[in-house]
Amino acid sequence: MSTKENAAVSQLLALLEARYALRVLWALRDGHAQTFRLLQDSVGSITPNTLNTRIKELREAGLVSHGGDGYSLTVSGQDLLKRLSDLQAFAGKWQLGQVKKAAAPAPAAPGAAPAAPASSAAGAPASSSPSAPSAPSSSPSSSTPPVDPAN
């Protein structure tokens, strides 16, 4: 990418990184004009001052316009959201991955002692059962630091 292209991307990202800017654009994505109050409700938990500031910035950038019916996306704003439309499909897949990741047990680090059962208190010896191997004792000469069960 050329320096001019990098500058343009950086400038656009700076605009979109502003708090609630993408949410304002996203709220207008359906093509229906929204009044200030409706837009505030659509974005959710945005103060009137912040919404006013974002609308002003997005209007100056040529992404949002104001007409008799309220605020709507300009042709450039529609083009931007069309290019970001894959975001919704990606977000769905990403969220499923996050749920699966959270549900899966964390893999043990190579050479780490097996984790103590969740029901045992920190520092208390794990109950011994015939099928569960006992954890090796850590000694000062060990090359790996002991695993802190609190982490």
Side-chain angles (χ1 to χ4, degrees):
M1 228 188 286
S2 74
T3 304
K4 284 183 181 181
E5 289 170 329
N6 278 336
V9 169
S10 293
Q11 187 177 3
L12 179 60
L13 288 176
L15 172 69
L16 297 178
E17 287 172 348
R19 190 168 191 184
Y20 295 105
L22 274 172
R23 287 187 186 192
V24 170
L25 293 172
W26 198 253
L28 296 170
R29 76 187 178 283
D30 66 0
H32 296 99
Q34 294 188 29
T35 63
F36 186 90
R37 183 70 91 193
L38 183 57
L39 187 54
Q40 186 179 11
D41 290 344
S42 297
V43 171
S45 69
I46 186 172
T47 65
N49 268 353
T50 302
L51 180 56
N52 238 347
T53 303
R54 290 300 89 80
I55 288 172
K56 180 182 176 193
E57 292 167 353
L58 294 169
R59 286 180 74 183
E60 288 173 355
L63 299 174
V64 171
S65 65
H66 185 262
D69 295 338
Y71 296 96
S72 58
L73 294 174
T74 63
V75 172
S76 290
Q78 292 169 2
D79 186 31
L80 173 62
L81 283 186
K82 186 178 1 169
R83 295 170 190 275
L84 293 174
S85 65
D86 287 340
L87 187 64
Q88 193 166 12
F90 176 84
K93 289 179 188 177
W94 175 80
Q95 187 179 37
L96 282 175
Q98 294 299 305
V99 169
K100 288 178 183 176
K101 186 173 153 184
S119 61
S120 72
S127 63
S128 60
S129 70
S131 62
S134 62
S137 64
S138 61
S139 64
S141 63
S142 173
S143 62
T144 58
V147 176
D148 183 4
N151 288 336

